[in-house]
Every structure is written in structure tokens, then in C-alpha cells.
Amino acid sequence: MTPKDFVRNYLPFARTAEAHSGISGIFILAQAAIESSWGRVAPLNNFFGIKDSDGLNGNEQLLVTTEYSRRMDLKFPEIISVTPVLMHGLKYFKYKVKDYFRKYDSAAECFEDHAGFFFKNARYRLALKVKHDPEQFAQMVAKVGYAADPAYSNTLLKVISMIRSEIEKLEKNG
């Protein structure tokens, strides 16, 4: 899906989530774009890569994913491989694993749950103070470890800029 189509299709869900949570819809849409590869990878409507912590109650799916960590002793339901890599001058371990992720009946349900996710997790408490500002919120969310990618903040900021541009075009052209 192109960025233009992604914004056209999912902006209404991001705006609804923003109206309910106060978290910037631009941030929400940018994060959905990154986590789902612009809508190409959203198994069972999980646009945000939100994990399911227990894997027990039926609202989860076991998927292959890649995680990065400075530690070599992480635990997952299944570890496929662990490879040392150098990123930004630091040694990391690249894990290819199977882990539990949430599943949703619709994209709308996923977007609403995603916004609520930040309020349920104490580590985002400070980020929520700047929830209306997509760039600041992105930096804070990345800093406390939403994703294992050490370049996540930079990626978010680039995609936020792309999303803003697509929204402007959409609003200008109808």
C-alpha cells in the first residue's frame, strides 16, 4: 500500500483514537505505518506490533519477529537464532524469535487498543505529558523502549514528516 493510500484508509481510525486519548493522530498513524510496513504486514489487524504478555487467553497469535538487545539471555516462547551485530558502534544481539502478539477483529479496534496501551503501561507516564506533540511523544516513547530498534526515534520522526505531508495533500485535494 502506498503512503497516500495508507493515510486515506487509516487516518479516520487515528483521528478517532486521538479524540478518545489525546495522543496525536499523526503519531498514531506514523507508528502504524512503521509497525505494519504501510499496512502490508498487520496480521489479524495488529498494526502496531503490540505483544500479548501471557499467550493464554485467546486474544493472541504466535508470530516470527526480530528483536534487538544488548543482552544475550532474553527469553521468548521460541528462539530461532541469535546473531551478534554492530549497530551505531555498539554490540547488539539480533534475535529471530516467535513471540505472542495481540489479534484484533478490526483495524478500528486495534487503533483504540493501541492508544489505551500507553495509559496502561507506567513507563509511558512522562511521554503522555507531551501526547499532543507527535515529534516529542515519538522521542519519549522510543526512549523508554517501545521498540527494540535503537534507531526507532529517527524512523518515527521521518515517517511523521511523511504522514504530515500526505495529510496536507489529502486535505488540499479532498
Side-chain angles (χ1 to χ4, degrees), residues 82-123:
V82 181
T83 308
V85 296
L86 194 62
M87 296 174 65
H88 310 289
L90 299 172
K91 183 178 180 180
Y92 283 84
F93 295 95
K94 179 181 177 180
Y95 287 79
K96 185 173 182 182
V97 300
K98 287 187 179 178
D99 206 354
Y100 288 104
F101 290 81
R102 292 186 189 166
K103 62 182 178 180
Y104 301 94
D105 291 331
S106 67
E109 179 186 9
C110 178
F111 276 68
E112 284 293 320
D113 185 52
H114 168 262
F117 171 85
F118 292 105
F119 291 93
K120 293 174 191 167
N121 291 280
R123 69 178 168 170

Side-chain angles (χ1 to χ4, degrees), residues 1 10 15 29 36 38 44 47 60 87 116 125 142 148 167 169:
M1 181 176 305
Y10 299 109
R15 285 187 169 155
L29 201 56
S36 71
W38 297 96
L44 296 173
F47 283 82
E60 71 283 328
M87 296 174 65
R125 185 180 67 255
I167 291 171
K169 289 179 202 171

Side-chain angles (χ1 to χ4, degrees), residues 6 10 13-15 17 23-37 39 41-52 61 63 65 67 101-104 106-118 124 137 141 146-148 152 156:
F6 185 84
Y10 299 109
F13 303 127
R15 285 187 169 155
I23 296 172
S24 165
I26 292 172
F27 167 83
I28 292 169
L29 201 56
Q31 196 169 42
I34 292 167
E35 296 293 334
S36 71
S37 294
V41 183
L44 296 173
N45 294 304
N46 189 335
F47 283 82
F48 298 95
I50 296 175
K51 292 188 177 181
D52 184 89
Q61 54 188 322
L63 300 172
T65 188
E67 301 288 345
F101 290 81
R102 292 186 189 166
K103 62 182 178 180
Y104 301 94
S106 67
E109 179 186 9
C110 178
F111 276 68
E112 284 293 320
D113 185 52
H114 168 262
F117 171 85
F118 292 105
Y124 301 112
F137 191 65
V141 164
Y146 183 92
Y152 194 65
L156 269 171

Side-chain angles (χ1 to χ4, degrees), residues 122-141:
R123 69 178 168 170
Y124 301 112
R125 185 180 67 255
L126 291 176
L128 287 168
K129 292 181 179 187
V130 294
K131 64 186 177 185
H132 62 281
D133 183 310
E135 288 84 5
Q136 285 186 21
F137 191 65
Q139 290 171 333
M140 297 285 287
V141 164

